[in-house]
Amino acid sequence: MTSRDWAWGVVPLGFKKVTAGRDGLMIVRDDVEKFLSIEECTQSNDSYDHQSGPFQGRGRLRALELRNGDAVLIRPYRHGGLLRHLLRGIFFTWPPRPFRELTITEEVRRRGIPTAEVLAACVRRIWGPFYRGWLVTRQLRGGQDLWTAIRDGFVGQTGAEKVFSAVAASLRGLHREGIYHRDLNLKNIVVRRESDGVKGYIIDFDRAML
């Protein structure tokens, strides 16, 4: 880990800070910086309806192909529960939640837990301490969340023992490394076929603790 301050938190090695004007902040992987701008990261999904795919968190994820050919998903941050209706996508905790999730996810990857690769985290300040946030991850091509994999037949076609053994291995690793995923559910576990069999990925470390 490298630098820390109240606005950025800890910036992992291999990432850098980028600013745009007075309100745009981004932590981006060094080799991705020239292919992704803060403006592209922070566009509302309304501007990209034709690029939105069947990916759903608290808000619809936006699919985007970067200029280097990388396929990414951009997730806007949304509150859950009652705050969802009161504040929607407006936050005021610092360091920003996207920056914190990027840092935690990088540490999860460093500890050998399969997860989506985070390429950038972006913040657009609104006024004072208030901001909106986005997280950019590389697409897990061919992956399905576990709920969809069960519902649409992937588990049956691939073999339940193979799929659930892969998921169990990832969950054991998560707990062995002392990582507490506070929102673990079937939508935050992704499975896909790979050359050496089936692999289970744990995603969405927004509220996780090490």
Side-chain angles (χ1 to χ4, degrees):
M1 303 296 180
T2 55
S3 58
R4 175 194 292 271
D5 64 41
W6 74 272
W8 298 90
V10 176
V11 179
L13 292 173
F15 287 77
K16 67 186 302 182
K17 305 172 185 176
V18 176
T19 60
R22 296 172 59 88
D23 62 352
L25 305 175
M26 177 166 69
I27 296 177
V28 61
R29 212 173 73 177
D30 291 343
D31 60 347
V32 175
E33 178 196 1
K34 61 184 178 181
F35 303 112
L36 177 68
S37 69
I38 292 179
E39 288 70 24
E40 289 172 308
C41 181
T42 61
Q43 286 279 0
S44 71
N45 282 352
D46 293 341
S47 302
Y48 282 86
D49 282 344
H50 64 289
Q51 291 183 321
S52 294
F55 309 102
Q56 189 75 29
R58 288 193 179 120
R60 179 170 290 277
L61 276 64
R62 171 161 51 93
L64 180 68
E65 184 172 323
L66 303 186
R67 294 186 293 278
N68 65 349
D70 283 344
V72 304
L73 295 176
I74 303 178
R75 168 163 59 89
Y77 279 72
R78 295 285 188 271
H79 289 282
L82 180 61
L83 288 179
R84 182 175 187 174
H85 303 288
L86 296 176
L87 298 176
R88 299 181 64 82
I90 298 175
F91 294 83
F92 51 85
T93 53
W94 291 81
R97 284 174 62 166
F99 294 172
R100 181 179 180 276
E101 183 172 356
L102 181 150
T103 300
I104 290 177
T105 305
E106 275 300 292
E107 179 61 19
V108 168
R109 291 182 69 239
R110 190 190 70 80
R111 297 187 187 192
I113 309 303
T115 186
E117 185 178 3
V118 178
L119 303 183
C122 309
V123 165
R124 183 71 73 180
R125 299 179 72 166
I126 301 171
W127 176 80
F130 299 99
Y131 66 87
R132 296 183 185 275
W134 295 261
L135 192 75
V136 183
T137 58
R138 191 186 304 278
Q139 281 196 40
L140 288 169
R141 292 185 182 275
Q144 300 181 51
D145 67 71
L146 188 53
W147 170 249
T148 302
I150 295 170
R151 183 193 63 194
D152 293 353
F154 175 88
V155 171
Q157 295 164 10
T158 305
E161 184 176 353
K162 290 182 181 179
V163 174
F164 291 120
S165 292
V167 171
S170 295
L171 293 177
R172 280 196 300 271
L174 194 73
H175 296 146
R176 182 181 62 246
E177 293 296 330
I179 300 162
Y180 178 43
H181 191 306
R182 297 176 64 184
D183 192 25
L184 189 61
N185 58 65
L186 297 182
K187 302 292 286 185
N188 288 335
I189 300 172
V190 174
V191 293
R192 70 172 180 175
R193 294 189 188 95
E194 299 190 358
S195 58
D196 56 350
V198 179
K199 196 165 186 176
Y201 293 81
I202 313 300
I203 63 171
D204 194 355
F205 288 91
D206 176 28
R207 301 173 64 234
M209 297 175 62
L210 301 177

